[in-house]
Amino acid sequence: MESGPTIFAGTAFGLFGAALLLWTGVRLAQRAPVAHGVSPGRAAALTATASVVALALGAWCFGRL
């Protein structure tokens, strides 16, 4: 019974991290701004870090099953 919330959280974190990493990569490939009002390098680093953290949290959730 405890595995239901863990699977949901792991899936949510994994999908969010993957989507954010994909979106950041596409924006950088198109040379479009990742965030308005922030330097491109800093915005890309921050979003890439957030996506890797979300992916790691998703992997941690699935590792607890």
Side-chain angles (χ1 to χ4, degrees):
M1 193 70 176
E2 291 180 9
S3 64
T6 305
I7 292 170
F8 176 77
T11 302
F13 280 126
L15 287 174
F16 175 74
L20 185 61
L21 192 60
L22 178 68
W23 179 80
T24 303
V26 168
R27 297 294 287 185
L28 289 174
Q30 294 175 348
R31 298 198 183 270
V34 177
H36 294 287
V38 183
S39 69
R42 186 172 293 163
L46 182 63
T47 55
T49 301
S51 64
V52 168
V53 167
L55 286 170
L57 282 171
W60 179 76
C61 286
F62 284 125
R64 294 186 46 94
L65 288 177

